[in-house]
Amino acid sequence: MFYDVAMNFVIGTLLVIAGAIMVWIPNRVFAWILSVSILFLLINGCVLLFRFVKQKRNKDFFFSILSFAFMFFLMNFHYLPQWILRVNFGGYCILCGTACFIQLVIDKIDHLKGKFLNSIFTFIYIFFGFYLLLNPDFHTDLLMRAFGIYFIILGSRYLGDGYEGINPLTKYKWKRKVRITLPAFLCALVPDAALTSINRYLEDGKPEDLNTYEKDKIVRLKVIVHVGPKGFQKVGHICFAFDNIVYSYGNYDSDSFRLNQTIGDGTFFTVPLEKYIPNMITAENNSIFEYGIYTTPDQNEAIEKQIQKIKENGYRWYSRIEKADGYDRFNEFEMDYPSRLHYRTGAKFYKVKRGKFHIYWALGDNCASFTDLVLGTLGADVLSMRGIISPGTYLDWLQKEYLKKNSPIVFRQIYTKDTISI
């Protein structure tokens, strides 16, 4: 734990220093980045070429030639790095703007109010994205300075998390506020990166060090992040459990899948926690990060009211195996996730009737936003300025809060196939 807190200070300090330099001398920073990139490509090309000579693998030779070719372009066509930076960041802004626009359309369909801020961010993202793509005379210095300011703000957040991690506060209370987070594409990588780190740690043979408990605390609320080995599973999924009943939201009805399964009918299920976790580990080949959150009686009452609203806005939806009464023909339905989850755990599925979460959108009203319904009542500060919350965003926040002195997060349990003991 001390190592993680120290890393917050190190990362925060480096980000603030790097950001200040980018604001102060952006042109030199860009030149340094260009020089480092050329040196990296040279070394990478030489390593790949040496590996080709030694192992005779054609792909090593191919990628070494690509590495040298790209190095040549960077050295002789100085406009190319600026073009790459401008086009990539412009494309990223347009993608973020498109995600916000789709959420706006969904909100309009569901007759939701309070769309003004999302409209502003949609316009800013799309306008700035196209401005970068269509304006070859855009000064890279301005973009570097903008990155520098972002690094300073992000670094300050890391330093603040580090300070709270060592400060012996007598009281610590979450406050609902906008949190500056990593870029969306990096947040998407957090669950898989965390799992990779855990797997490396397990190689040292000390799995018991992963989990800590405060046994004098009665925990009714738990947050669960699970990560799979491939595809979208690497992005992760998040849900919560209250009084050992899991509530998980997602796009579970395959008949409603749209836009490569990123849009569909909003559906949630309930299932006992003691059945859910073993199934996710053994049958679904997932790894679990579970965080226990201590809650006061008043907070428990607020959570109960929120859960009651969720239940009242849902109607029972039946999986394929339920509709066909095919419990004795499980192999016919095994490829359908709701069917196999219901068969193995007795999970019950519900579709959202109306309003927010009636339509699932992977980059908007998703599993993380659904979990935020409950954690938001406690003051969790994972609100995103861009309106996109991912499981990785929440996992990063949960881990940082877990490391802080007197945090409401009083235990962490990590389950993998190598450590499961349930």
Side-chain angles (χ1 to χ4, degrees):
M1 184 176 293
F2 174 78
Y3 171 79
D4 292 322
V5 172
M7 284 303 297
N8 279 334
F9 281 110
V10 173
I11 294 173
T13 302
L14 291 176
L15 284 172
V16 170
I17 293 174
I21 294 174
M22 292 172 76
V23 171
W24 183 32
I25 46 175
N27 55 339
R28 291 189 183 181
V29 172
F30 188 78
W32 293 340
I33 294 174
L34 180 59
S35 299
V36 171
S37 300
I38 291 172
L39 180 61
F40 170 79
L41 289 169
L42 174 62
I43 296 173
N44 184 62
C46 291
V47 170
L48 290 173
L49 190 60
F50 176 77
R51 188 186 299 171
F52 167 72
V53 172
K54 190 175 182 179
Q55 301 179 3
K56 304 298 181 184
R57 294 193 303 184
N58 291 333
K59 69 175 184 179
D60 288 336
F61 179 75
F62 174 73
F63 284 113
S64 70
I65 296 300
L66 281 182
S67 188
F68 287 131
F70 196 46
M71 180 190 71
F72 172 79
F73 275 103
L74 291 183
M75 291 176 64
N76 293 276
F77 299 93
H78 296 294
Y79 66 87
L80 184 62
Q82 299 183 31
W83 181 86
I84 293 174
L85 179 64
R86 179 171 57 83
V87 169
N88 275 276
F89 190 67
Y92 172 75
C93 288
I94 291 175
L95 285 175
C96 289
T98 302
C100 292
F101 177 74
I102 292 174
Q103 186 62 58
L104 275 176
V105 174
I106 292 174
D107 290 346
K108 181 68 175 178
I109 294 173
D110 290 334
H111 307 290
L112 295 176
K113 299 180 180 180
K115 301 182 289 290
F116 177 74
L117 186 60
N118 200 9
S119 302
I120 294 297
F121 275 102
T122 300
F123 173 78
I124 292 175
Y125 273 128
I126 294 179
F127 173 81
F128 191 57
F130 277 109
Y131 179 77
L132 287 172
L133 291 179
L134 302 177
N135 185 10
D137 296 325
F138 182 84
H139 292 290
T140 308
D141 289 0
L142 295 177
L143 204 55
M144 296 300 293
R145 283 196 170 97
F147 290 156
I149 294 172
Y150 171 73
F151 284 167
I152 291 173
I153 296 174
L154 186 63
S156 299
R157 195 208 80 190
Y158 272 91
L159 290 173
D161 288 336
Y163 173 73
E164 290 177 348
I166 62 173
N167 185 28
L169 298 172
T170 55
K171 291 185 179 181
Y172 179 74
K173 185 178 181 180
W174 289 342
K175 296 179 181 179
R176 194 68 165 164
K177 59 182 181 294
V178 173
R179 180 180 179 87
I180 301 299
T181 64
L182 295 169
F185 71 94
L186 288 180
C187 284
L189 303 176
V190 168
D192 187 54
L195 179 59
T196 301
S197 176
I198 292 301
N199 288 335
R200 289 176 180 173
Y201 185 78
L202 289 175
E203 294 176 359
D204 295 335
K206 296 181 179 180
E208 68 278 2
D209 292 344
L210 295 175
N211 308 312
T212 59
Y213 306 88
E214 291 186 24
K215 295 182 179 180
D216 59 328
K217 300 286 188 180
I218 298 176
V219 174
R220 298 179 64 184
L221 177 64
K222 300 171 183 177
V223 179
I224 303 156
V225 181
H226 42 78
V227 192
K230 58 185 178 180
F232 280 122
Q233 291 181 330
K234 289 190 174 185
V235 177
H237 176 76
I238 187 170
C239 56
F240 68 91
F242 189 70
D243 287 342
N244 291 321
I245 299 296
V246 174
Y247 298 83
S248 177
Y249 173 82
N251 188 15
Y252 298 119
D253 182 3
S254 58
D255 292 333
S256 72
F257 287 171
R258 301 290 186 276
L259 201 63
N260 197 27
Q261 302 184 26
T262 59
I263 294 180
D265 292 347
T267 310
F268 68 92
F269 65 77
T270 62
V271 63
L273 181 64
E274 65 269 16
K275 294 183 179 180
Y276 181 69
I277 288 183
N279 178 72
M280 293 308 301
I281 300 295
T282 58
E284 300 297 335
N285 196 28
N286 278 209
S287 296
I288 299 287
F289 296 81
E290 180 189 46
Y291 293 86
I293 303 175
Y294 173 74
T295 49
T296 65
D298 288 342
Q299 289 174 330
N300 289 330
E301 184 178 349
I303 293 171
E304 289 170 352
K305 288 181 180 178
Q306 185 63 61
I307 290 176
Q308 186 60 35
K309 289 180 182 179
I310 292 172
K311 290 180 177 179
E312 290 174 354
N313 195 32
Y315 65 92
R316 188 75 165 86
W317 175 76
Y318 297 92
S319 61
R320 293 179 180 179
I321 197 171
E322 293 175 272
K323 292 176 182 177
D325 193 21
Y327 296 103
D328 58 345
R329 308 188 312 276
F330 174 65
N331 60 310
E332 297 179 19
F333 304 94
E334 191 171 4
M335 297 304 294
D336 180 52
Y337 175 70
S339 294
R340 65 176 183 266
L341 182 67
H342 172 77
Y343 178 82
R344 289 168 174 156
T345 68
K348 295 181 179 180
F349 288 82
Y350 303 84
K351 283 197 175 181
V352 178
K353 294 178 183 177
R354 65 183 70 86
K356 191 172 178 64
F357 301 109
H358 175 237
I359 299 176
Y360 172 91
W361 167 224
L363 300 179
D365 288 340
N366 58 14
C367 58
S369 300
F370 184 80
T371 301
D372 191 62
L373 283 176
V374 168
L375 289 186
T377 65
L378 310 181
D381 64 338
V382 195
L383 288 172
S384 172
M385 293 181 66
R386 60 180 176 272
I388 302 173
I389 307 176
S390 69
T393 306
Y394 246 115
L395 180 58
D396 177 65
W397 177 81
L398 287 166
Q399 180 60 21
K400 284 182 169 52
E401 291 299 313
Y402 161 72
L403 295 173
K404 294 178 181 178
K405 296 286 186 181
N406 299 314
S407 169
I409 300 179
V410 295
F411 80 77
R412 179 187 68 182
Q413 176 82 41
I414 297 176
Y415 303 95
T416 69
K417 282 190 173 181
D418 296 325
T419 64
I420 188 169
S421 58
I422 53 179

mmCIF file of all heavy atoms in Angstrom, residues 68-84:
data_model
loop_
_atom_site.group_PDB
_atom_site.id
_atom_site.type_symbol
_atom_site.label_atom_id
_atom_site.label_comp_id
_atom_site.label_asym_id
_atom_site.label_seq_id
_atom_site.Cartn_x
_atom_site.Cartn_y
_atom_site.Cartn_z
ATOM 1 N N PHE A 68 12.324 1.515 -39.845
ATOM 2 C CA PHE A 68 13.327 2.370 -40.497
ATOM 3 C C PHE A 68 12.669 3.359 -41.454
ATOM 4 O O PHE A 68 13.087 4.517 -41.547
ATOM 5 C CB PHE A 68 14.346 1.502 -41.248
ATOM 6 C CG PHE A 68 15.303 0.768 -40.357
ATOM 7 C CD1 PHE A 68 15.533 -0.591 -40.530
ATOM 8 C CD2 PHE A 68 15.969 1.418 -39.332
ATOM 9 C CE1 PHE A 68 16.412 -1.283 -39.710
ATOM 10 C CE2 PHE A 68 16.856 0.741 -38.502
ATOM 11 C CZ PHE A 68 17.073 -0.618 -38.695
ATOM 12 N N ALA A 69 11.634 2.906 -42.171
ATOM 13 C CA ALA A 69 10.956 3.784 -43.130
ATOM 14 C C ALA A 69 10.278 4.945 -42.405
ATOM 15 O O ALA A 69 10.358 6.106 -42.841
ATOM 16 C CB ALA A 69 9.934 2.983 -43.930
ATOM 17 N N PHE A 70 9.612 4.631 -41.287
ATOM 18 C CA PHE A 70 8.943 5.688 -40.543
ATOM 19 C C PHE A 70 9.958 6.652 -39.946
ATOM 20 O O PHE A 70 9.723 7.871 -39.890
ATOM 21 C CB PHE A 70 8.070 5.067 -39.453
ATOM 22 C CG PHE A 70 7.050 6.014 -38.877
ATOM 23 C CD1 PHE A 70 6.269 6.806 -39.700
ATOM 24 C CD2 PHE A 70 6.877 6.120 -37.517
ATOM 25 C CE1 PHE A 70 5.333 7.680 -39.183
ATOM 26 C CE2 PHE A 70 5.944 6.983 -36.969
ATOM 27 C CZ PHE A 70 5.170 7.769 -37.818
ATOM 28 N N MET A 71 11.086 6.126 -39.494
ATOM 29 C CA MET A 71 12.154 6.981 -38.983
ATOM 30 C C MET A 71 12.647 7.930 -40.065
ATOM 31 O O MET A 71 12.876 9.128 -39.820
ATOM 32 C CB MET A 71 13.308 6.116 -38.490
ATOM 33 C CG MET A 71 14.498 6.910 -37.936
ATOM 34 S SD MET A 71 15.952 5.870 -37.641
ATOM 35 C CE MET A 71 16.455 5.514 -39.331
ATOM 36 N N PHE A 72 12.787 7.416 -41.289
ATOM 37 C CA PHE A 72 13.238 8.238 -42.417
ATOM 38 C C PHE A 72 12.260 9.384 -42.680
ATOM 39 O O PHE A 72 12.666 10.539 -42.893
ATOM 40 C CB PHE A 72 13.372 7.368 -43.662
ATOM 41 C CG PHE A 72 13.653 8.132 -44.921
ATOM 42 C CD1 PHE A 72 14.929 8.591 -45.203
ATOM 43 C CD2 PHE A 72 12.632 8.406 -45.825
ATOM 44 C CE1 PHE A 72 15.195 9.305 -46.368
ATOM 45 C CE2 PHE A 72 12.889 9.125 -46.991
ATOM 46 C CZ PHE A 72 14.177 9.568 -47.255
ATOM 47 N N PHE A 73 10.955 9.069 -42.649
ATOM 48 C CA PHE A 73 9.953 10.113 -42.882
ATOM 49 C C PHE A 73 10.003 11.177 -41.797
ATOM 50 O O PHE A 73 9.896 12.378 -42.078
ATOM 51 C CB PHE A 73 8.555 9.494 -42.953
ATOM 52 C CG PHE A 73 8.186 8.974 -44.301
ATOM 53 C CD1 PHE A 73 8.222 7.621 -44.572
ATOM 54 C CD2 PHE A 73 7.822 9.838 -45.322
ATOM 55 C CE1 PHE A 73 7.898 7.137 -45.823
ATOM 56 C CE2 PHE A 73 7.487 9.370 -46.579
ATOM 57 C CZ PHE A 73 7.526 8.007 -46.840
ATOM 58 N N LEU A 74 10.162 10.758 -40.534
ATOM 59 C CA LEU A 74 10.221 11.734 -39.443
ATOM 60 C C LEU A 74 11.440 12.642 -39.571
ATOM 61 O O LEU A 74 11.382 13.833 -39.229
ATOM 62 C CB LEU A 74 10.245 11.014 -38.094
ATOM 63 C CG LEU A 74 8.971 10.287 -37.657
ATOM 64 C CD1 LEU A 74 9.147 9.693 -36.273
ATOM 65 C CD2 LEU A 74 7.772 11.220 -37.673
ATOM 66 N N MET A 75 12.539 12.105 -40.077
ATOM 67 C CA MET A 75 13.766 12.879 -40.200
ATOM 68 C C MET A 75 13.721 13.864 -41.368
ATOM 69 O O MET A 75 14.307 14.955 -41.300
ATOM 70 C CB MET A 75 14.960 11.938 -40.386
ATOM 71 C CG MET A 75 15.299 11.112 -39.144
ATOM 72 S SD MET A 75 16.636 9.939 -39.443
ATOM 73 C CE MET A 75 18.006 11.059 -39.799
ATOM 74 N N ASN A 76 13.010 13.508 -42.439
ATOM 75 C CA ASN A 76 13.072 14.303 -43.670
ATOM 76 C C ASN A 76 11.793 15.073 -43.994
ATOM 77 O O ASN A 76 11.829 15.959 -44.839
ATOM 78 C CB ASN A 76 13.415 13.388 -44.843
ATOM 79 C CG ASN A 76 14.818 12.814 -44.743
ATOM 80 O OD1 ASN A 76 15.799 13.452 -45.138
ATOM 81 N ND2 ASN A 76 14.930 11.598 -44.192
ATOM 82 N N PHE A 77 10.715 14.727 -43.340
ATOM 83 C CA PHE A 77 9.459 15.435 -43.587
ATOM 84 C C PHE A 77 8.927 15.922 -42.246
ATOM 85 O O PHE A 77 8.153 15.232 -41.571
ATOM 86 C CB PHE A 77 8.452 14.514 -44.275
ATOM 87 C CG PHE A 77 8.902 14.007 -45.609
ATOM 88 C CD1 PHE A 77 9.572 12.789 -45.709
ATOM 89 C CD2 PHE A 77 8.690 14.741 -46.761
ATOM 90 C CE1 PHE A 77 9.992 12.306 -46.934
ATOM 91 C CE2 PHE A 77 9.110 14.269 -47.999
ATOM 92 C CZ PHE A 77 9.772 13.061 -48.091
ATOM 93 N N HIS A 78 9.362 17.117 -41.856
ATOM 94 C CA HIS A 78 9.077 17.619 -40.515
ATOM 95 C C HIS A 78 7.600 17.952 -40.304
ATOM 96 O O HIS A 78 7.153 18.074 -39.157
ATOM 97 C CB HIS A 78 9.932 18.860 -40.232
ATOM 98 C CG HIS A 78 11.395 18.567 -40.200
ATOM 99 N ND1 HIS A 78 11.975 17.776 -39.243
ATOM 100 C CD2 HIS A 78 12.408 18.946 -41.035
ATOM 101 C CE1 HIS A 78 13.287 17.679 -39.473
ATOM 102 N NE2 HIS A 78 13.561 18.378 -40.569
ATOM 103 N N TYR A 79 6.845 18.090 -41.388
ATOM 104 C CA TYR A 79 5.424 18.368 -41.237
ATOM 105 C C TYR A 79 4.652 17.117 -40.815
ATOM 106 O O TYR A 79 3.546 17.209 -40.285
ATOM 107 C CB TYR A 79 4.836 18.892 -42.563
ATOM 108 C CG TYR A 79 4.832 17.873 -43.667
ATOM 109 C CD1 TYR A 79 3.779 16.973 -43.818
ATOM 110 C CD2 TYR A 79 5.897 17.796 -44.576
ATOM 111 C CE1 TYR A 79 3.778 16.029 -44.832
ATOM 112 C CE2 TYR A 79 5.905 16.849 -45.588
ATOM 113 C CZ TYR A 79 4.834 15.969 -45.709
ATOM 114 O OH TYR A 79 4.843 15.039 -46.710
ATOM 115 N N LEU A 80 5.232 15.926 -41.066
ATOM 116 C CA LEU A 80 4.518 14.678 -40.808
ATOM 117 C C LEU A 80 4.173 14.485 -39.332
ATOM 118 O O LEU A 80 3.022 14.152 -39.006
ATOM 119 C CB LEU A 80 5.335 13.488 -41.324
ATOM 120 C CG LEU A 80 4.661 12.119 -41.210
ATOM 121 C CD1 LEU A 80 3.379 12.082 -42.049
ATOM 122 C CD2 LEU A 80 5.617 11.006 -41.652
ATOM 123 N N PRO A 81 5.112 14.680 -38.382
ATOM 124 C CA PRO A 81 4.737 14.514 -36.962
ATOM 125 C C PRO A 81 3.618 15.464 -36.541
ATOM 126 O O PRO A 81 2.726 15.067 -35.782
ATOM 127 C CB PRO A 81 6.033 14.820 -36.215
ATOM 128 C CG PRO A 81 7.115 14.581 -37.212
ATOM 129 C CD PRO A 81 6.542 14.969 -38.528
ATOM 130 N N GLN A 82 3.672 16.710 -37.026
ATOM 131 C CA GLN A 82 2.620 17.658 -36.682
ATOM 132 C C GLN A 82 1.285 17.205 -37.262
ATOM 133 O O GLN A 82 0.237 17.326 -36.616
ATOM 134 C CB GLN A 82 2.988 19.053 -37.184
ATOM 135 C CG GLN A 82 4.265 19.602 -36.579
ATOM 136 C CD GLN A 82 4.559 21.023 -37.044
ATOM 137 O OE1 GLN A 82 3.650 21.792 -37.315
ATOM 138 N NE2 GLN A 82 5.835 21.365 -37.131
ATOM 139 N N TRP A 83 1.331 16.686 -38.494
ATOM 140 C CA TRP A 83 0.111 16.198 -39.132
ATOM 141 C C TRP A 83 -0.468 15.025 -38.358
ATOM 142 O O TRP A 83 -1.674 14.947 -38.128
ATOM 143 C CB TRP A 83 0.430 15.782 -40.571
ATOM 144 C CG TRP A 83 -0.758 15.275 -41.330
ATOM 145 C CD1 TRP A 83 -1.672 16.006 -42.034
ATOM 146 C CD2 TRP A 83 -1.174 13.896 -41.444
ATOM 147 N NE1 TRP A 83 -2.638 15.195 -42.589
ATOM 148 C CE2 TRP A 83 -2.352 13.891 -42.230
ATOM 149 C CE3 TRP A 83 -0.675 12.700 -40.960
ATOM 150 C CZ2 TRP A 83 -3.030 12.712 -42.554
ATOM 151 C CZ3 TRP A 83 -1.351 11.518 -41.270
ATOM 152 C CH2 TRP A 83 -2.506 11.532 -42.054
ATOM 153 N N ILE A 84 0.394 14.091 -37.927
ATOM 154 C CA ILE A 84 -0.064 12.920 -37.164
ATOM 155 C C ILE A 84 -0.713 13.354 -35.855
ATOM 156 O O ILE A 84 -1.802 12.880 -35.487
ATOM 157 C CB ILE A 84 1.106 11.962 -36.886
ATOM 158 C CG1 ILE A 84 1.597 11.330 -38.198
ATOM 159 C CG2 ILE A 84 0.697 10.867 -35.896
ATOM 160 C CD1 ILE A 84 2.843 10.488 -38.030
#
